[in-house]
Amino acid sequence: MLSALEQYDPQIFELLTQEKARQSGSIRMIASENYVSKAVMQATGSCLTNKYAEGYPGKRYYEGQQVTDLIETIAIDRAKKVFGADHANVQSYSGSVANVAAYSTLINPGDMIMGLSLVNGGHLTHGWKASFTSKVYNSVQYSVDPQTGLFDYGQIEEFAKKHRPKIIISGATAYPRQIDFEIFGEIAKRVGAYHVSDIAHISGLVVAGIHKSPVPYADIVSTTTHKTLRGPRGGMLLCKAEHAAAMDRAVFPGLQGGPHMHTVTAIAVALAEADTPEFVQYARQIVANAKRLGEKLMEHGFNLVSGGTDNHLLLIDLRNKGVAGKKFAKALDRARIVTNYNTVPGDTAPPFNPSGVRLGTPAVTTRGMKEPEMEMIAGFFKRVIEHIDDESVIEQVARESLLLCSRFPVPDHFIIPRDGSHGAGRD
Ligand code: DSN
């Protein structure tokens, strides 16, 4: 029987089928991507896509909220529980909007924000020059140490003392080590700044207790919900009680109209999944996989920023290889390994053709791959870099990648047990 989509729009159906095959037949190592569970996928594609719900539970501007109020309240309560936060807002459309909402909760246009620069691993919305955030706010940007690739907290404090920002942003999109949020919080206090922490990449690791949480040390914490947290594409904010009302106003009506209730619903589901021993085990394996991958890559002569990783991502600095990041990432893609090219600390190459590639283990770990598979993948990286202009080798690696993928089918039907009684967690 034809599905509704197949029947109504065969062209889009065919393209979705191709994308499903691509996700299934490639080793997906974009550090911000994952595979969601069947339950999250169902909630995302549910009837809540049909509902408008401006406002918050108990105070809406549209009627018909008998169900949405209950669902959003559950999502908020689950977020507060798993992150140990006083207050949560689950309506942000994305991490970018969540960050802007955090800033607008605390400061006014023209005030100064201080974030990690994009080329050092920060996000666009941390005040990068191309971002709206640097136009609305007066942005100053700190860096990592170009030699070690690490935060130099002493230098960050000096920088903060010099500029006296109103907000200091901690968190990154390409930093492979633990971040000391407590120190960021202390620096912010000492210069009279608010502390906003963006844990979009690591929120799943934070929930699992594997990465230190910024919640006790930050005024507001923002995150996406789809990376290591393995929920739908969306954003979320957590804050101390004193900022709760202002933060909710900043999201709605400050920045957004109607929340995407299908996404809020799926966030609720993902948070239930994250609150299980299985998820903690998953998060541990993400890090174990990243560490093993890093060790093997270094054995194969790759330089890693900071010499390894504490989290889910790795940054390969290709400057010793004489191969640009884009060329390597494109060759890897032909070999069925999907990464993104990325700047590395001290990079003089532009962000669109930088000197590194970023890779992460959340998606391959969801597929069930473990350390032996990481060793195989590191071997694929070696062969691709050594034969970057030899398509026959790249094609051979692509065949082996596909074989590896076939041993670890895409778990688009996996289920996280809520009571630990359903065995391996897949149906
Ligand atoms: N674009 C995301 C990432 O890949 O890290 C950050 O928003």
Side-chain angles (χ1 to χ4, degrees):
M1 207 168 76
L2 294 180
S3 69
L5 182 60
E6 192 174 7
Q7 210 166 6
Y8 183 76
D9 196 335
Q11 192 181 12
I12 291 294
F13 179 81
E14 168 56 24
L15 289 172
L16 280 179
T17 305
Q18 284 177 26
E19 173 60 11
K20 202 166 180 185
R22 188 196 68 79
Q23 291 190 14
S24 170
S26 55
I27 299 169
R28 294 174 59 231
M29 305 203 86
I30 291 177
S32 45
E33 292 185 350
N34 212 327
Y35 300 96
V36 298
S37 71
K38 186 176 185 178
V40 168
M41 197 67 100
Q42 277 182 355
T44 306
S46 71
C47 62
L48 261 301
T49 203
N50 301 330
K51 186 69 195 118
Y52 258 114
E54 264 105 331
Y56 291 100
K59 194 180 173 221
R60 305 279 190 189
Y61 292 79
Y62 293 71
E63 288 309 314
Q65 311 295 347
Q66 294 83 351
V67 172
T68 47
D69 274 8
L70 296 175
I71 288 178
E72 187 169 350
T73 302
I74 290 170
I76 291 167
D77 288 346
R78 287 179 184 173
K80 283 161 62 177
K81 177 174 179 238
V82 300
F83 286 101
D86 292 348
H87 179 69
N89 183 305
V90 293
Q91 293 194 1
S92 291
Y93 300 145
S94 72
S96 294
V97 181
N99 282 343
V100 176
Y103 310 153
S104 68
T105 302
L106 301 169
I107 62 171
N108 294 310
D111 287 344
M112 187 182 285
I113 59 173
M114 174 180 140
L116 179 64
S117 76
L118 182 91
V119 290
N120 281 267
H123 190 254
L124 281 165
T125 56
H126 295 178
W128 181 242
K129 59 190 172 197
S131 161
F132 186 67
T133 53
S134 76
K135 298 176 175 48
V136 172
Y137 301 106
N138 180 9
S139 167
V140 291
Q141 301 239 279
Y142 60 94
S143 308
V144 295
D145 182 305
Q147 302 308 321
T148 63
L150 300 172
F151 289 132
D152 179 332
Y153 293 100
Q155 275 190 6
I156 291 170
E157 178 159 2
E158 285 312 306
F159 193 71
K161 281 184 174 152
K162 182 173 162 204
H163 292 286
R164 298 272 157 186
K166 286 262 176 73
I167 287 178
I168 295 179
I169 304 153
S170 63
T173 63
Y175 188 73
R177 295 296 183 177
Q178 284 271 346
I179 298 174
D180 198 325
F181 296 116
E182 188 172 0
I183 293 186
F184 269 107
E186 283 166 7
I187 295 171
K189 271 206 186 82
R190 283 201 280 271
V191 301
Y194 292 111
H195 177 202
V196 171
S197 187
D198 176 352
I199 56 167
H201 266 262
I202 55 168
S203 54
L205 306 182
V206 168
V207 166
I210 291 159
H211 196 293
K212 198 169 186 175
S213 171
V215 168
Y217 314 113
D219 293 280
I220 299 183
V221 175
S222 79
T223 184
T224 51
T225 46
H226 49 272
K227 297 182 174 114
T228 49
L229 193 56
R230 210 164 54 178
R233 294 295 293 256
M236 190 160 66
L237 287 159
L238 311 158
C239 71
K240 301 207 178 300
E242 69 201 80
H243 301 304
M247 192 179 80
D248 281 349
R249 278 197 306 277
V251 174
F252 172 85
L255 278 164
Q256 297 188 175
H260 296 170
M261 290 311 299
H262 57 304
T263 303
V264 171
T265 309
I267 288 172
V269 175
L271 290 169
E273 292 180 350
D275 197 15
T276 59
E278 285 71 19
F279 189 86
V280 174
Q281 187 47 41
Y282 163 66
R284 278 203 193 107
Q285 192 63 49
I286 289 177
V287 177
N289 281 351
K291 282 185 188 293
R292 179 62 60 86
L293 182 64
E295 286 158 12
K296 292 310 267 189
L297 286 171
M298 287 191 289
E299 273 178 41
H300 293 324
F302 286 101
N303 282 342
L304 297 184
V305 171
S306 84
T309 182
D310 297 329
N311 58 26
H312 64 299
L313 70 82
L314 301 137
L315 267 177
I316 301 180
D317 182 339
L318 291 162
R319 286 177 290 192
N320 68 328
K321 298 286 187 189
V323 177
K326 195 169 179 175
K327 181 168 180 174
F328 189 41
K330 285 188 177 297
L332 286 169
D333 194 46
R334 294 197 299 283
R336 292 181 175 271
I337 302 168
V338 190
T339 63
N340 69 277
Y341 32 95
N342 215 97
T343 48
V344 289
D347 211 337
T348 49
F352 197 58
N353 189 16
S355 304
V357 293
R358 185 187 69 162
L359 39 145
T361 53
V364 292
T365 306
T366 295
R367 290 183 85 142
M369 294 186 194
K370 293 205 164 82
E371 287 88 339
E373 289 73 45
M374 298 305 111
E375 292 176 10
M376 284 180 70
I377 292 170
F380 295 162
F381 274 73
K382 175 179 191 291
R383 283 159 64 200
V384 170
I385 199 92
E386 286 177 354
H387 302 277
I388 190 95
D389 293 315
D390 185 342
E391 279 312 304
S392 65
V393 174
I394 290 175
E395 277 171 25
Q396 179 55 32
V397 175
R399 281 192 285 277
E400 292 174 41
S401 296
L402 188 58
L403 199 62
L404 179 60
C405 288
S406 70
R407 289 175 44 221
F408 294 88
V410 169
D412 61 347
H413 293 288
F414 78 105
I415 291 172
I416 300 275
R418 295 196 64 183
D419 59 2
S421 64
H422 300 293
R426 297 195 185 176
D427 67 4

